Coordinates of all heavy atoms in Angstrom, one line a residue:
M387 N 7.5 47.2 46.5 CA 7.4 48.7 46.3 C 5.9 49.1 46.4 O 5.0 48.4 45.8 CB 7.9 49.0 44.9 CG 8.2 50.5 44.8 SD 9.0 50.9 43.2 CE 7.7 50.6 42.0
A388 N 5.6 50.1 47.1 CA 4.3 50.6 47.2 C 3.6 51.0 45.9 O 2.5 50.6 45.6 CB 4.2 51.7 48.2
G389 N 4.4 51.7 45.2 CA 3.9 52.2 43.9 C 2.9 53.3 44.0 O 2.2 53.5 44.9
L390 N 3.0 54.1 42.9 CA 2.1 55.3 42.9 C 0.9 54.9 42.1 O 0.9 54.0 41.3 CB 2.8 56.4 42.2 CG 4.2 56.8 42.8 CD1 4.8 57.9 42.0 CD2 4.0 57.3 44.2
H391 N -0.2 55.6 42.3 CA -1.4 55.3 41.6 C -1.5 55.9 40.2 O -2.4 55.7 39.4 CB -2.7 55.7 42.4 CG -2.9 57.2 42.6 ND1 -2.3 57.8 43.6 CD2 -3.5 58.1 41.9 CE1 -2.6 59.1 43.5 NE2 -3.4 59.3 42.5
V392 N -0.5 56.7 39.9 CA -0.3 57.2 38.5 C 1.1 56.9 38.0 O 2.0 56.7 38.8 CB -0.7 58.7 38.4 CG1 -2.1 59.0 38.8 CG2 0.3 59.5 39.3
K393 N 1.2 56.9 36.7 CA 2.6 56.7 36.2 C 2.8 57.6 34.9 O 1.8 58.2 34.5 CB 2.7 55.2 35.9 CG 1.7 54.7 34.9 CD 1.8 53.2 34.8 CE 0.9 52.6 33.8 NZ 0.8 51.2 33.8
K394 N 4.0 57.5 34.4 CA 4.3 58.3 33.3 C 3.3 58.1 32.1 O 2.9 57.0 31.8 CB 5.7 57.8 32.8 CG 6.3 58.8 31.8 CD 7.7 58.3 31.3 CE 8.2 59.2 30.2 NZ 9.5 58.7 29.7
N395 N 3.0 59.2 31.5 CA 2.1 59.3 30.4 C 0.6 59.2 30.7 O -0.3 59.3 29.9 CB 2.4 58.2 29.3 CG 3.7 58.5 28.6 OD1 4.1 59.7 28.4 ND2 4.4 57.5 28.2
D396 N 0.3 59.0 32.0 CA -1.1 59.1 32.5 C -1.5 60.6 32.3 O -0.7 61.5 32.5 CB -1.2 58.8 34.0 CG -1.3 57.3 34.2 OD1 -1.4 56.5 33.3 OD2 -1.1 56.9 35.4
V397 N -2.8 60.7 32.1 CA -3.4 62.1 32.2 C -4.1 62.2 33.5 O -4.9 61.3 33.9 CB -4.4 62.4 31.0 CG1 -5.1 63.7 31.2 CG2 -3.7 62.3 29.7
V398 N -3.7 63.2 34.2 CA -4.2 63.3 35.6 C -4.9 64.7 35.8 O -4.7 65.6 35.0 CB -3.1 63.2 36.6 CG1 -2.5 61.8 36.6 CG2 -2.0 64.3 36.4
Q399 N -5.7 64.8 36.8 CA -6.4 66.0 37.2 C -5.9 66.4 38.6 O -5.9 65.5 39.5 CB -7.9 66.0 37.1 CG -8.5 67.3 37.4 CD -10.0 67.4 37.0 OE1 -10.7 66.4 37.2 NE2 -10.4 68.5 36.4
V400 N -5.6 67.6 38.8 CA -5.1 68.1 40.1 C -6.4 68.4 40.9 O -7.3 69.0 40.5 CB -4.3 69.4 40.0 CG1 -3.8 69.8 41.3 CG2 -3.1 69.1 39.0
V401 N -6.4 67.8 42.1 CA -7.6 67.9 42.9 C -7.4 68.9 44.1 O -8.4 69.1 44.9 CB -8.1 66.6 43.4 CG1 -8.6 65.7 42.2 CG2 -7.0 65.8 44.1
S402 N -6.3 69.4 44.4 CA -6.1 70.3 45.4 C -4.9 71.2 45.1 O -4.0 70.9 44.3 CB -6.0 69.7 46.8 OG -4.8 68.9 46.8
G403 N -4.8 72.3 45.8 CA -3.7 73.2 45.6 C -4.0 74.3 44.6 O -5.1 74.4 44.0
A404 N -2.9 75.0 44.2 CA -3.1 76.1 43.3 C -3.5 75.7 41.9 O -4.2 76.5 41.2 CB -1.7 76.9 43.2
N405 N -3.2 74.5 41.5 CA -3.5 74.1 40.1 C -4.8 73.3 40.1 O -5.0 72.6 39.1 CB -2.3 73.3 39.6 CG -1.1 74.1 39.3 OD1 -1.2 75.0 38.5 ND2 0.0 73.9 40.0
R406 N -5.6 73.3 41.1 CA -6.8 72.5 41.2 C -7.6 72.6 40.0 O -7.9 73.7 39.5 CB -7.6 73.0 42.4 CG -8.8 72.1 42.7 CD -9.5 72.6 43.9 NE -10.7 71.8 44.1 CZ -11.4 71.7 45.2 NH1 -11.0 72.4 46.3 NH2 -12.5 71.0 45.3
G407 N -8.1 71.4 39.5 CA -8.9 71.4 38.3 C -8.2 71.3 37.0 O -8.8 70.9 36.0
K408 N -6.9 71.6 37.0 CA -6.2 71.5 35.7 C -5.8 70.0 35.4 O -5.6 69.2 36.3 CB -4.9 72.3 35.8 CG -5.2 73.8 35.9 CD -3.9 74.6 35.9 CE -4.2 76.1 36.0 NZ -3.0 76.9 36.3
T409 N -5.7 69.8 34.2 CA -5.3 68.4 33.8 C -3.9 68.5 33.0 O -3.6 69.5 32.4 CB -6.3 67.7 32.9 OG1 -6.5 68.6 31.7 CG2 -7.6 67.6 33.6
G410 N -3.2 67.4 33.0 CA -2.0 67.3 32.2 C -1.5 65.9 32.2 O -1.9 65.0 33.0
K411 N -0.5 65.7 31.4 CA 0.2 64.4 31.3 C 1.3 64.3 32.2 O 2.1 65.2 32.4 CB 0.6 64.2 29.8 CG 1.0 62.8 29.5 CD 1.2 62.7 28.0 CE 2.6 63.1 27.6 NZ 2.8 62.9 26.2
V412 N 1.4 63.1 32.8 CA 2.6 62.9 33.7 C 3.8 62.7 32.9 O 3.9 61.8 32.1 CB 2.3 61.7 34.6 CG1 3.5 61.4 35.5 CG2 1.1 61.9 35.5
L413 N 4.8 63.6 33.2 CA 6.1 63.5 32.5 C 7.0 62.5 33.2 O 7.8 61.8 32.6 CB 6.7 64.9 32.4 CG 6.0 65.9 31.6 CD1 6.8 67.2 31.6 CD2 5.8 65.5 30.2
R414 N 7.0 62.6 34.6 CA 7.8 61.8 35.4 C 7.1 61.4 36.7 O 6.4 62.3 37.2 CB 9.1 62.5 35.7 CG 10.2 62.4 34.7 CD 11.4 63.1 35.1 NE 12.1 62.3 36.1 CZ 13.1 62.7 36.9 NH1 13.5 64.0 36.7 NH2 13.7 62.0 37.8
A415 N 7.2 60.2 37.1 CA 6.7 59.8 38.4 C 8.0 59.6 39.3 O 8.8 58.8 39.0 CB 5.9 58.5 38.3
L416 N 8.0 60.3 40.4 CA 9.2 60.2 41.3 C 8.8 59.3 42.5 O 8.2 59.7 43.5 CB 9.5 61.6 41.8 CG 9.7 62.7 40.7 CD1 9.8 64.1 41.3 CD2 10.9 62.4 39.8
H417 N 9.1 58.0 42.3 CA 8.6 57.0 43.2 C 9.2 57.2 44.6 O 8.5 57.0 45.6 CB 8.9 55.6 42.7 CG 8.1 55.2 41.5 ND1 6.9 54.6 41.6 CD2 8.3 55.4 40.2 CE1 6.4 54.4 40.4 NE2 7.2 54.9 39.5
D418 N 10.4 57.7 44.7 CA 11.1 57.8 46.0 C 10.4 58.9 46.8 O 10.3 58.7 48.0 CB 12.6 58.2 45.8 CG 13.3 57.0 45.3 OD1 12.8 55.8 45.3 OD2 14.4 57.2 44.7
S419 N 10.0 60.0 46.2 CA 9.4 61.1 47.0 C 7.9 61.1 46.9 O 7.3 61.9 47.6 CB 10.0 62.4 46.5 OG 9.8 62.5 45.1
G420 N 7.3 60.2 46.1 CA 5.9 60.2 46.0 C 5.3 61.5 45.3 O 4.2 62.0 45.6
R421 N 6.1 62.0 44.4 CA 5.6 63.2 43.6 C 5.7 62.9 42.1 O 6.3 61.9 41.7 CB 6.6 64.3 44.0 CG 6.6 64.7 45.4 CD 7.6 65.7 45.8 NE 7.2 67.1 45.4 CZ 6.4 67.9 46.1 NH1 5.8 67.4 47.2 NH2 6.1 69.1 45.6
V422 N 4.9 63.7 41.4 CA 4.9 63.6 40.0 C 5.2 65.0 39.3 O 4.9 66.0 39.9 CB 3.5 63.1 39.5 CG1 3.4 61.6 39.8 CG2 2.4 63.9 40.0
I423 N 5.7 64.9 38.1 CA 5.9 66.1 37.3 C 4.9 66.1 36.2 O 4.8 65.1 35.4 CB 7.3 66.2 36.8 CG1 8.3 66.4 38.0 CG2 7.4 67.4 35.8 CD1 9.7 66.4 37.5
V424 N 4.0 67.1 36.2 CA 2.9 67.1 35.2 C 3.1 68.1 34.2 O 3.5 69.3 34.5 CB 1.5 67.3 35.9 CG1 0.4 67.3 34.9 CG2 1.3 66.2 37.0
E425 N 3.0 67.8 32.9 CA 3.2 68.7 31.8 C 2.4 69.9 32.0 O 1.2 69.9 32.1 CB 2.8 67.9 30.5 CG 3.2 68.7 29.3 CD 2.9 67.8 28.0 OE1 1.8 67.2 28.0 OE2 3.8 67.8 27.1
G426 N 3.1 71.0 31.9 CA 2.4 72.3 31.9 C 1.9 72.8 33.2 O 1.3 73.9 33.3
L427 N 2.2 72.1 34.3 CA 1.7 72.5 35.6 C 2.8 72.9 36.6 O 3.9 72.3 36.5 CB 0.9 71.4 36.2 CG -0.4 71.1 35.6 CD1 -1.1 70.1 36.5 CD2 -1.3 72.3 35.5
N428 N 2.5 73.8 37.5 CA 3.4 74.1 38.6 C 4.7 74.6 38.1 O 5.8 74.2 38.6 CB 3.6 72.8 39.4 CG 3.7 73.2 40.9 OD1 3.1 74.1 41.4 ND2 4.4 72.4 41.7
F429 N 4.7 75.5 37.2 CA 5.9 76.1 36.7 C 6.7 76.7 37.7 O 6.2 77.4 38.6 CB 5.6 77.1 35.6 CG 5.4 76.5 34.2 CD1 4.2 76.6 33.6 CD2 6.4 75.7 33.6 CE1 3.9 76.0 32.4 CE2 6.2 75.1 32.4 CZ 5.0 75.3 31.7
R430 N 8.0 76.5 37.7 CA 8.9 77.3 38.5 C 9.8 78.1 37.6 O 10.3 77.6 36.7 CB 9.7 76.3 39.3 CG 8.9 75.6 40.4 CD 9.5 74.3 40.8 NE 10.8 74.6 41.5 CZ 11.1 73.8 42.5 NH1 10.4 72.8 42.9 NH2 12.3 74.1 43.2
K431 N 9.9 79.3 37.9 CA 10.7 80.2 37.1 C 12.2 80.1 37.7 O 12.4 80.2 38.9 CB 10.2 81.6 37.2 CG 9.0 81.8 36.3 CD 8.5 83.2 36.3 CE 7.3 83.3 35.4 NZ 6.6 84.6 35.7
K432 N 13.0 79.9 36.8 CA 14.4 79.8 37.2 C 15.2 80.8 36.4 O 15.2 80.9 35.2 CB 14.9 78.4 36.8 CG 16.1 78.0 37.6 CD 16.5 76.5 37.2 CE 17.9 76.3 37.5 NZ 18.4 75.1 36.8
H433 N 15.9 81.6 37.2 CA 16.8 82.7 36.6 C 18.1 82.0 36.2 O 18.7 81.3 36.9 CB 17.0 83.8 37.5 CG 15.7 84.6 37.8 ND1 15.4 85.7 37.1 CD2 14.7 84.3 38.7 CE1 14.2 86.1 37.6 NE2 13.8 85.3 38.5
T434 N 18.5 82.3 34.9 CA 19.7 81.7 34.5 C 20.7 82.8 34.0 O 20.2 83.9 33.5 CB 19.5 80.8 33.3 OG1 18.8 81.5 32.3 CG2 18.7 79.6 33.7
K435 N 21.9 82.6 34.2 CA 22.9 83.6 33.8 C 23.2 83.3 32.3 O 23.0 82.1 31.8 CB 24.2 83.4 34.6 CG 24.0 83.9 36.0 CD 25.3 83.7 36.8 CE 25.1 84.3 38.2 NZ 26.1 83.8 39.1
P436 N 23.6 84.3 31.6 CA 24.0 84.0 30.2 C 25.1 82.9 30.1 O 26.0 82.8 30.9 CB 24.6 85.4 29.7 CG 24.0 86.4 30.7 CD 23.8 85.7 32.0
S437 N 24.9 82.1 29.1 CA 25.9 81.0 28.9 C 26.1 80.8 27.4 O 25.5 81.5 26.6 CB 25.3 79.7 29.5 OG 24.2 79.3 28.8
R438 N 26.9 79.9 27.1 CA 27.2 79.7 25.7 C 25.9 79.3 24.9 O 25.7 79.7 23.8 CB 28.3 78.6 25.5 CG 29.1 78.8 24.3 CD 30.3 77.9 24.3 NE 29.9 76.5 24.6 CZ 30.8 75.6 24.8 NH1 32.1 75.8 24.8 NH2 30.4 74.3 25.0
D439 N 25.1 78.4 25.5 CA 23.9 77.9 24.9 C 22.8 79.0 24.9 O 22.0 79.0 24.0 CB 23.4 76.7 25.6 CG 24.4 75.5 25.4 OD1 25.2 75.6 24.4 OD2 24.4 74.6 26.2
N440 N 22.8 79.8 25.9 CA 21.7 80.8 26.1 C 22.4 82.1 26.4 O 22.6 82.5 27.5 CB 20.8 80.3 27.2 CG 19.7 81.3 27.5 OD1 19.5 82.3 26.8 ND2 18.9 81.0 28.4
Q441 N 22.7 82.8 25.3 CA 23.5 84.0 25.5 C 22.7 85.2 26.1 O 23.4 86.1 26.7 CB 24.0 84.5 24.1 CG 24.9 83.4 23.5 CD 25.7 83.8 22.3 OE1 25.5 84.9 21.8 NE2 26.6 83.0 21.9
Q442 N 21.4 85.1 26.1 CA 20.6 86.2 26.7 C 20.6 86.0 28.2 O 20.4 86.9 28.9 CB 19.2 86.1 26.1 CG 19.2 86.4 24.7 CD 18.8 87.9 24.4 OE1 17.8 88.3 24.7 NE2 19.7 88.6 23.7
G443 N 20.6 84.7 28.6 CA 20.2 84.5 30.0 C 18.8 84.8 30.2 O 18.0 84.8 29.3
G444 N 18.4 84.9 31.5 CA 17.0 85.3 31.7 C 16.2 84.2 32.5 O 16.8 83.6 33.3
I445 N 14.9 84.1 32.2 CA 14.1 83.3 33.0 C 13.7 82.0 32.2 O 13.2 82.1 31.1 CB 12.8 84.0 33.4 CG1 13.2 85.2 34.3 CG2 11.9 83.1 34.2 CD1 12.1 86.2 34.6
V446 N 13.9 80.9 32.7 CA 13.5 79.6 32.1 C 12.4 79.0 33.0 O 12.5 79.0 34.2 CB 14.7 78.6 32.1 CG1 14.3 77.3 31.7 CG2 15.8 79.2 31.2
Q447 N 11.4 78.6 32.3 CA 10.3 78.0 33.0 C 10.4 76.5 33.0 O 10.7 75.9 32.0 CB 8.9 78.4 32.4 CG 8.5 79.8 32.7 CD 7.1 80.0 32.5 OE1 6.4 79.4 31.7 NE2 6.5 80.9 33.3
K448 N 10.2 75.9 34.1 CA 10.4 74.5 34.3 C 9.3 73.9 35.2 O 8.9 74.5 36.1 CB 11.8 74.2 34.9 CG 12.4 72.9 34.7 CD 13.8 72.9 35.3 CE 14.5 71.6 34.9 NZ 13.8 70.4 34.9
E449 N 8.8 72.8 34.8 CA 7.7 72.2 35.6 C 8.3 71.7 36.9 O 9.3 71.1 37.0 CB 7.1 71.0 34.9 CG 6.1 71.3 33.8 CD 6.8 71.2 32.4 OE1 8.0 71.1 32.3 OE2 6.0 71.1 31.4
G450 N 7.6 72.0 38.0 CA 7.9 71.5 39.3 C 7.1 70.3 39.6 O 6.1 70.0 39.0
S451 N 7.5 69.6 40.6 CA 6.8 68.4 41.0 C 5.7 68.7 42.0 O 5.7 69.7 42.7 CB 7.7 67.3 41.6 OG 8.2 67.9 42.9
I452 N 4.6 67.9 41.9 CA 3.5 68.0 42.9 C 3.3 66.7 43.5 O 3.6 65.6 43.0 CB 2.2 68.6 42.3 CG1 1.8 67.7 41.1 CG2 2.4 70.0 41.9 CD1 0.5 68.2 40.5
S453 N 2.8 66.7 44.7 CA 2.5 65.5 45.5 C 1.5 64.6 44.7 O 0.5 65.1 44.3 CB 2.0 65.8 46.9 OG 1.6 64.6 47.5
V454 N 1.8 63.3 44.7 CA 0.9 62.4 44.0 C -0.5 62.3 44.6 O -1.5 62.0 44.0 CB 1.5 61.0 43.8 CG1 1.5 60.3 45.2 CG2 0.8 60.2 42.7
S455 N -0.5 62.7 45.9 CA -1.8 62.7 46.6 C -2.7 63.9 46.2 O -3.9 63.9 46.5 CB -1.6 62.8 48.1 OG -1.0 64.0 48.5
N456 N -2.2 64.8 45.4 CA -2.9 65.9 44.9 C -3.5 65.7 43.5 O -4.1 66.6 42.9 CB -2.1 67.2 44.9 CG -1.9 67.8 46.3 OD1 -2.5 67.4 47.2 ND2 -1.0 68.7 46.4
V457 N -3.2 64.5 42.9 CA -3.7 64.3 41.6 C -4.5 63.0 41.6 O -4.3 62.1 42.4 CB -2.6 64.2 40.5 CG1 -1.8 65.4 40.5 CG2 -1.7 63.0 40.8
L458 N -5.5 62.9 40.6 CA -6.2 61.7 40.4 C -6.1 61.4 38.9 O -6.0 62.3 38.1 CB -7.7 61.9 40.8 CG -8.0 61.9 42.2 CD1 -9.5 62.2 42.4 CD2 -7.7 60.6 42.9
L459 N -6.2 60.1 38.6 CA -6.2 59.7 37.2 C -7.4 60.3 36.5 O -8.5 60.3 37.0 CB -6.3 58.2 37.1 CG -5.9 57.6 35.8 CD1 -4.5 58.0 35.3 CD2 -6.0 56.0 35.9
Y460 N -7.2 60.9 35.3 CA -8.3 61.6 34.6 C -9.1 60.5 33.8 O -8.5 59.8 33.0 CB -7.8 62.7 33.7 CG -8.9 63.4 32.9 CD1 -9.6 64.4 33.6 CD2 -9.2 63.1 31.6 CE1 -10.6 65.1 32.9 CE2 -10.2 63.8 31.0 CZ -10.9 64.8 31.6 OH -11.9 65.4 30.9
C461 N -10.4 60.5 34.0 CA -11.2 59.5 33.3 C -11.9 60.2 32.2 O -12.7 61.2 32.4 CB -12.3 58.9 34.2 SG -13.5 57.8 33.4
P462 N -11.7 59.8 30.9 CA -12.3 60.5 29.8 C -13.8 60.4 29.7 O -14.5 61.2 29.1 CB -11.6 59.8 28.5 CG -11.0 58.6 29.0 CD -10.8 58.7 30.5
S463 N -14.3 59.3 30.3 CA -15.8 59.2 30.3 C -16.4 60.0 31.4 O -17.5 60.7 31.1 CB -16.1 57.7 30.6 OG -15.6 56.9 29.6
C464 N -15.9 60.1 32.6 CA -16.4 60.9 33.7 C -16.0 62.4 33.5 O -16.6 63.2 34.1 CB -15.9 60.4 35.0 SG -16.4 58.8 35.5
K465 N -15.0 62.6 32.6 CA -14.5 63.9 32.4 C -14.0 64.6 33.7 O -14.1 65.8 33.9 CB -15.5 64.8 31.7 CG -15.8 64.3 30.3 CD -16.7 65.3 29.5 CE -16.8 65.0 28.0 NZ -17.1 63.6 27.7
K466 N -13.4 63.8 34.5 CA -12.8 64.4 35.7 C -11.8 63.4 36.3 O -11.8 62.2 35.9 CB -13.8 64.8 36.7 CG -14.6 63.7 37.3 CD -15.6 64.2 38.3 CE -16.3 63.1 39.0 NZ -17.1 63.5 40.1
G467 N -11.1 63.8 37.3 CA -10.2 62.9 38.0 C -11.0 62.0 38.9 O -12.0 62.3 39.5
V468 N -10.6 60.7 38.8 CA -11.4 59.7 39.5 C -10.5 58.8 40.4 O -9.3 58.6 40.1 CB -12.2 58.8 38.5 CG1 -13.2 59.6 37.8 CG2 -11.3 58.1 37.6
K469 N -11.1 58.1 41.3 CA -10.4 57.1 42.1 C -10.5 55.8 41.2 O -11.5 55.6 40.5 CB -11.1 56.9 43.4 CG -10.9 58.0 44.4 CD -10.8 57.5 45.8 CE -10.3 58.6 46.7 NZ -11.3 59.6 47.1
T470 N -9.5 55.0 41.3 CA -9.4 53.8 40.6 C -9.3 52.6 41.5 O -8.9 52.7 42.6 CB -8.2 53.8 39.6 OG1 -7.0 54.0 40.4 CG2 -8.3 54.9 38.5
K471 N -9.7 51.5 41.0 CA -9.4 50.2 41.6 C -8.7 49.3 40.7 O -8.6 49.5 39.5 CB -10.7 49.6 42.1 CG -11.6 49.2 40.9 CD -13.0 48.7 41.4 CE -13.9 48.4 40.1 NZ -15.2 47.9 40.5
H472 N -8.1 48.3 41.3 CA -7.3 47.4 40.4 C -8.1 46.2 40.1 O -8.8 45.7 41.0 CB -6.0 47.0 41.2 CG -5.0 48.0 41.2 ND1 -4.8 48.9 42.2 CD2 -4.0 48.4 40.3 CE1 -3.9 49.7 41.9 NE2 -3.3 49.4 40.8
E473 N -8.0 45.8 38.9 CA -8.7 44.5 38.5 C -7.6 43.6 37.8 O -6.7 44.1 37.2 CB -9.8 44.8 37.5 CG -11.1 45.2 38.3 CD -12.3 45.3 37.4 OE1 -12.2 44.9 36.2 OE2 -13.4 45.7 37.9
V474 N -7.8 42.3 37.9 CA -6.9 41.4 37.3 C -7.6 40.8 36.1 O -8.7 40.3 36.2 CB -6.5 40.3 38.3 CG1 -5.5 39.3 37.6 CG2 -5.9 40.9 39.5
R475 N -6.9 41.0 35.0 CA -7.5 40.4 33.7 C -7.3 38.9 33.7 O -6.6 38.3 34.5 CB -6.7 41.0 32.5 CG -6.9 42.5 32.3 CD -6.4 42.8 30.9 NE -6.2 44.2 30.6 CZ -5.1 44.9 30.8 NH1 -4.0 44.2 31.2 NH2 -5.0 46.2 30.6
K476 N -7.9 38.3 32.7 CA -7.9 36.9 32.5 C -6.4 36.4 32.4 O -6.1 35.3 32.8 CB -8.7 36.4 31.3 CG -10.2 36.4 31.6 CD -11.0 35.9 30.5 CE -12.5 36.0 30.8 NZ -13.2 36.5 29.6
D477 N -5.6 37.2 31.7 CA -4.3 36.8 31.5 C -3.4 37.1 32.7 O -2.2 36.8 32.7 CB -3.7 37.4 30.3 CG -3.6 39.0 30.4 OD1 -3.9 39.5 31.5 OD2 -3.2 39.6 29.4
G478 N -3.9 37.5 33.8 CA -3.2 37.7 35.0 C -2.6 39.1 35.2 O -2.1 39.4 36.3
T479 N -2.6 39.9 34.2 CA -2.1 41.3 34.3 C -3.1 42.2 35.0 O -4.3 42.0 34.9 CB -1.7 41.9 32.9 OG1 -2.9 41.9 32.1 CG2 -0.6 41.1 32.3
K480 N -2.6 43.2 35.7 CA -3.4 44.1 36.4 C -3.8 45.3 35.6 O -3.0 45.8 34.7 CB -2.7 44.6 37.7 CG -2.8 43.6 38.8 CD -2.2 44.2 40.1 CE -2.1 43.1 41.1 NZ -1.3 43.5 42.2
T481 N -4.9 45.9 35.8 CA -5.3 47.1 35.2 C -6.0 48.0 36.2 O -6.6 47.5 37.1 CB -6.2 46.9 33.9 OG1 -6.5 48.1 33.3 CG2 -7.5 46.2 34.3
R482 N -6.0 49.3 35.9 CA -6.7 50.2 36.8 C -8.1 50.5 36.1 O -8.1 50.7 34.9 CB -5.9 51.5 37.0 CG -4.7 51.3 37.8 CD -3.8 52.5 37.7 NE -3.3 52.7 36.4 CZ -2.7 53.7 36.0 NH1 -2.3 54.7 36.8 NH2 -2.3 53.9 34.7
V483 N -9.1 50.5 36.9 CA -10.5 50.7 36.4 C -11.1 51.9 37.2 O -10.9 52.0 38.4 CB -11.3 49.4 36.6 CG1 -12.7 49.6 36.2 CG2 -10.7 48.3 35.9
C484 N -11.8 52.7 36.5 CA -12.5 53.8 37.1 C -13.6 53.3 38.0 O -14.4 52.4 37.7 CB -13.2 54.7 36.0 SG -14.3 56.0 36.7
R485 N -13.6 53.8 39.3 CA -14.6 53.3 40.3 C -16.0 53.8 39.9 O -17.0 53.2 40.4 CB -14.2 53.8 41.6 CG -13.0 53.1 42.2 CD -12.9 53.4 43.7 NE -11.7 53.0 44.2 CZ -11.5 52.3 45.4 NH1 -12.6 52.1 46.2 NH2 -10.4 51.9 45.8
K486 N -16.1 54.8 39.2 CA -17.4 55.3 38.9 C -18.1 54.7 37.7 O -19.2 54.2 37.8 CB -17.4 56.9 38.6 CG -17.3 57.7 39.9 CD -17.6 59.1 39.6 CE -17.4 60.1 40.7 NZ -18.0 59.7 42.0
C487 N -17.3 54.7 36.6 CA -18.0 54.2 35.3 C -17.4 52.9 34.8 O -17.9 52.4 33.8 CB -17.9 55.3 34.3 SG -16.2 55.5 33.6
G488 N -16.3 52.4 35.4 CA -15.8 51.2 34.9 C -14.8 51.3 33.7 O -14.4 50.3 33.2
E489 N -14.5 52.5 33.4 CA -13.5 52.8 32.3 C -12.2 52.0 32.6 O -11.7 52.1 33.7 CB -13.3 54.3 32.2 CG -12.1 54.7 31.2 CD -12.6 54.7 29.7 OE1 -13.8 54.6 29.5 OE2 -11.7 54.8 28.9
V490 N -11.7 51.3 31.6 CA -10.5 50.6 31.8 C -9.3 51.4 31.4 O -9.2 51.8 30.2 CB -10.5 49.2 31.1 CG1 -9.2 48.5 31.2 CG2 -11.7 48.4 31.6
F491 N -8.4 51.6 32.3 CA -7.1 52.3 31.9 C -6.1 51.2 31.6 O -6.4 50.0 31.6 CB -6.6 53.2 33.0 CG -7.6 54.2 33.4 CD1 -8.5 54.0 34.5 CD2 -7.7 55.4 32.8 CE1 -9.4 54.9 34.9 CE2 -8.7 56.4 33.1 CZ -9.5 56.1 34.2
D492 N -4.9 51.5 31.3 CA -3.9 50.5 31.0 C -4.3 49.5 30.0 O -4.2 48.3 30.2 CB -3.5 49.8 32.3 CG -3.1 50.7 33.4 OD1 -2.3 51.6 33.2 OD2 -3.7 50.6 34.5
K493 N -4.8 50.0 28.9 CA -5.2 49.1 27.8 C -4.0 48.3 27.3 O -2.9 48.9 27.1 CB -5.9 49.8 26.7 CG -7.3 50.4 27.2 CD -8.1 50.9 26.1 CE -9.5 51.3 26.5 NZ -9.5 52.6 27.3
A494 N -4.2 47.1 27.0 CA -3.0 46.3 26.6 C -2.6 46.6 25.2 O -3.4 47.0 24.4 CB -3.4 44.8 26.7
Ligands
ZN1656 ZN1 -15.1 57.1 34.8

């Protein structure tokens, strides 16, 4: 599997498109389509008819997916989205590391 460079619970920064510059937590990574759903971003308004659970009906806001190529992992040290590289720890597990400052993500 190719794998995405971000995964669930990562904090990412959007680097292009309408939400450029915004940060949020990845709620879901959609590996098949190469897209991610980021908390609080790319809302899509959905009109709903009144139902038993929602008697008013109306507009429900729901996060839409964005292409994973539009986001970078957010580095708390650099305070922005950064490119990462993979490093192998002594125990053989992989971790992502900030290319700029060496911040280690995926802490064990
Ligand atoms: Zn960094």
